[in-house]
Amino acid sequence: MAGDKYSVLLPTYNEKDNLPIIVWLLCKYFHDSSFDYEIIVIDDGSPDGTLEVAKKLQEIYGENRIVLRPRAKKLGLGTAYIHGIKHATGNYIFIMDADLSHHPKFIPEFIKKQKEGNYDLVSGTRYIGSGGVYGWDLKRKVISRTANYITQILLRPRASDLTGSFRLYRKEVLQKLVEACVSKGYVFQMEIIVRARQFNYTIGEVPISFVDRLYGESKLGGSEIIGFVKGLLHLFVST
Amino acid sequence: MAAPAGKTTTADVSLRVVLLEGEWCCWRIIMTKLMEWLTGAVLILGPWSAVVTNTIQNEFTKQYYMEILLFPVFLVAVFGLVSIAVIAYRVYTFNDCQEAAEELQQQIKEAKADLAKKGLKLD
């Protein structure tokens, strides 16, 4: 549809090695699919020079494609989205991770799915269809599936992947949802889906592959699990 | 698609009351998931405890008293077994995305080469 523009919000912290690759991939897939886009890099004062790399990328791809909206220090994901939305000139917003765990090749699939069902939001899911994860051992898979199972039973969200953060939103939908959410971390992404259901927004899903740390596996610590359980219980009693 | 207007309060964690836009005289009580589960529990455990404490009794309840008494245990056990089976199946069929990792590694090399040509050198 003429006039659609997609703003990709990329909150970054110490991603000087990954940022050029993700930007290169985003520009490649957007360019090949002819959709109008911009990439908004929200760097939280990374000490490793991520912002300098972002400026060089801006020189290569142009200031209309790479928009820099840095912040002084690490301020959290919710506020990063709010900050990004304020500066976004697109009518649709992609959120994704900048560490190469989410692959831009799915972007045309998200857009196609959104148009198919005129969805308010499209969520990337690792748990159905061709979705999956690279780099998880058996223990991690069991924890993940068990946590998702418990979440499905307690919250019945009618979305298969609640903690995923590769999503496409209409701009005004994301704005309203971020304002309504109070949680942090994994639970923030869960709360967004739960609130979206409360507000009767329509949700579509696209299977995605999640490549968890190409080099070495990311850790899932006890404190993250406890935080997840607390957040889940909070959503259970309040929504 | 009616969206609830304004902020909802969560002062009472068991019930949320939402004022619907345009329905100035109409309050809608939304059941939280906790309330749904408590309601379900009361619907099952209410009659069950009536039978088990002999408040209600008849031929049927006298004959099957033990079975009725153990019914909740049976439900939990079935739920536990089904859950384990479902989770085991989902873990077993969890896609490993080997090709995705290989494709990414290949594209990283491509990206680095292309960016170097455009003036950004990466290690």
Side-chain angles (χ1 to χ4, degrees):
Chain A
M1 197 156 91
D4 283 336
K5 183 172 180 184
Y6 298 88
S7 299
V8 181
L9 299 189
L10 276 187
T12 60
Y13 190 74
N14 286 345
E15 296 288 2
K16 82 170 194 318
D17 294 322
N18 290 326
L19 185 62
I21 315 288
I22 190 95
V23 166
W24 186 86
L25 287 168
L26 281 166
C27 292
K28 169 181 150 74
Y29 285 96
F30 268 115
H31 180 263
D32 289 350
S33 60
S34 306
F35 291 116
D36 193 13
Y37 71 102
E38 63 181 354
I39 301 170
I40 304 181
V41 180
I42 303 154
D43 186 55
D44 280 357
S46 299
D48 74 343
T50 302
L51 192 55
E52 279 62 51
V53 173
K55 287 192 183 135
K56 291 217 193 86
L57 288 164
Q58 203 176 38
E59 285 166 30
I60 296 175
Y61 290 103
E63 281 178 18
N64 63 328
R65 294 299 189 204
I66 314 288
V67 178
L68 302 184
R69 293 284 176 258
R71 304 190 297 178
K73 57 183 181 134
K74 216 164 192 289
L75 286 172
L77 208 53
T79 51
Y81 291 162
I82 293 176
H83 187 69
I85 293 169
K86 267 206 281 272
H87 299 286
T89 59
N91 54 333
Y92 289 97
I93 306 231
F94 271 102
I95 61 152
M96 61 191 300
D97 291 350
D99 62 359
L100 299 179
S101 49
H102 295 142
H103 198 301
K105 70 178 177 181
F106 294 105
I107 286 192
E109 291 181 36
F110 273 86
I111 295 177
K112 177 162 163 237
K113 185 76 189 187
Q114 191 280 323
K115 291 190 188 304
E116 249 172 47
N118 199 25
Y119 293 110
D120 295 311
L121 80 90
V122 180
S123 169
T125 171
R126 297 159 291 173
Y127 295 129
I128 61 174
S130 53
V133 178
Y134 170 83
W136 278 3
D137 61 7
L138 182 66
K139 176 169 162 204
R140 185 73 189 263
K141 285 184 192 175
V142 169
I143 293 177
S144 175
R145 284 295 199 179
T146 303
N148 181 258
Y149 180 77
I150 295 173
T151 305
Q152 294 293 329
I153 294 207
L154 288 183
L155 300 182
R156 298 194 326 272
R158 287 171 291 147
S160 60
D161 189 347
L162 264 81
T163 53
S165 50
F166 191 179
R167 298 181 184 158
L168 169 62
Y169 299 85
R170 289 189 212 277
K171 181 155 101 173
E172 61 279 9
V173 168
L174 179 59
Q175 179 134 33
K176 183 149 183 203
L177 289 173
V178 174
E179 277 163 21
C181 289
V182 297
S183 329
K184 309 230 177 302
Y186 286 126
V187 188
F188 175 71
Q189 304 294 355
M190 286 165 57
E191 193 181 354
I192 287 204
I193 297 278
V194 171
R195 301 270 171 225
R197 284 298 181 202
Q198 277 180 344
F199 294 152
N200 286 321
Y201 288 133
T202 52
I203 301 179
E205 294 193 297
V206 165
I208 58 161
S209 53
F210 181 90
V211 177
D212 194 355
R213 306 279 157 140
L214 212 45
Y215 313 107
E217 199 180 309
S218 70
K219 307 244 176 302
L220 182 67
S223 66
E224 271 145 337
I225 294 184
I226 291 176
F228 169 82
V229 172
K230 274 162 86 170
L232 177 59
L233 289 178
H234 176 260
L235 289 175
F236 180 66
V237 302
S238 63
T239 62
Chain B
M1 192 172 89
K7 286 275 184 225
T8 57
T9 57
T10 52
D12 180 336
V13 295
S14 55
L15 285 179
R16 281 180 52 251
V17 182
V18 175
L19 178 61
L20 290 177
E21 203 169 64
E23 296 180 54
W24 54 274
C25 61
C26 208
W27 295 81
R28 201 174 106 208
I29 296 183
I30 293 179
M31 291 263 269
T32 63
K33 292 290 180 288
L34 174 63
M35 283 305 290
E36 286 177 13
W37 278 71
L38 289 177
T39 305
V42 163
L43 287 175
I44 295 183
L45 293 180
W48 175 83
S49 53
V51 167
V52 157
T53 55
N54 290 321
T55 311
I56 294 178
Q57 47 184 341
N58 56 40
E59 281 302 319
F60 178 83
T61 68
K62 288 198 194 106
Q63 187 181 355
Y64 290 105
Y65 185 79
M66 274 313 288
E67 285 84 348
I68 294 176
L69 180 66
L70 293 174
F71 182 64
V73 176
F74 171 75
L75 277 183
V76 170
V78 165
F79 171 72
L81 289 174
V82 167
S83 300
I84 290 177
V86 166
I87 293 174
Y89 174 75
R90 288 176 178 173
V91 168
Y92 181 71
T93 56
F94 211 155
N95 290 325
D96 269 320
C97 298
Q98 181 68 31
E99 341 70 46
E102 286 162 6
E103 177 190 42
L104 181 60
Q105 260 163 338
Q106 178 56 39
Q107 285 180 319
I108 290 176
K109 291 201 189 89
E110 224 183 297
K112 285 185 176 170
D114 191 42
L115 286 168
K117 259 193 275 167
K118 295 188 161 111
L120 178 60
K121 256 197 288 286
L122 304 158
D123 27 61

